[in-house]
Amino acid sequence: MKTVLNIIWLVLCGFWMAISYAVAGLICFVLFFLVITIPFGIAAFRMASYALWPFGRTVVRKQSAGVGSMLGNILWIILFGWWLAIGHLVTGFALCITIIGIPLGIASFKMIPISLTPLGHDIVSANGTGYATY
């Protein structure tokens, strides 16, 4: 079932959301002279892979996350997070119009918090045999 949901997700919205995360990552890497944007670019590409194929994976908070990730998340929200969250919000509402799209819309809504605060989180496999960090 995860594969079917992932394929439908990829066709309807995953590809476009992944592109938006990749654009945010590229902007962060273009601003490499600001050393603080490099972790943002890495987080954006990590989120792009999650937005491309989300079912079967989950987001967990890193135990080692501290003040640095909190400050980085505040800067992320100001620069990129708000428009990525709006993208998930609009996509979620559009997907919820059909009955088949409701689970996909709910998944899009669940991505809003991580799109706002990607630093200090890991994307892990939720296969039940343990967590494998991506």
Side-chain angles (χ1 to χ4, degrees):
M1 190 61 158
K2 290 185 295 187
T3 304
V4 172
L5 285 172
N6 276 322
I7 291 171
I8 295 170
W9 172 271
L10 179 68
V11 171
L12 294 179
C13 69
F15 182 71
W16 301 110
M17 289 308 298
I19 286 176
S20 63
Y21 280 106
V23 167
L26 287 173
I27 291 171
C28 290
F29 285 133
V30 166
L31 299 174
F32 68 91
F33 58 88
L34 301 172
V35 177
I36 60 170
T37 61
I38 293 172
F40 296 161
I42 294 168
F45 281 108
R46 189 176 65 233
M47 285 301 302
S49 83
Y50 182 57
L52 199 58
W53 204 259
F55 294 99
R57 298 195 284 176
T58 188
V59 178
V60 294
R61 180 119 174 99
K62 287 183 186 177
Q63 296 298 325
S64 61
V67 176
S69 64
M70 183 191 69
L71 295 174
N73 280 330
I74 291 170
L75 191 57
W76 173 266
I77 290 170
I78 294 168
L79 296 175
F80 304 106
W82 65 273
W83 60 271
L84 290 168
I86 289 172
H88 280 294
L89 190 65
V90 169
T91 302
F93 282 126
L95 288 169
C96 285
I97 291 173
T98 65
I99 292 174
I100 293 173
I102 290 173
L104 303 172
I106 292 170
S108 185
F109 294 142
K110 286 182 180 180
M111 289 180 150
I112 291 174
I114 191 65
S115 71
L116 288 171
T117 58
L119 301 174
H121 291 90
D122 273 333
I123 300 167
V124 296
S125 174
N127 60 7
T129 61
Y131 290 109
T133 304
Y134 289 93

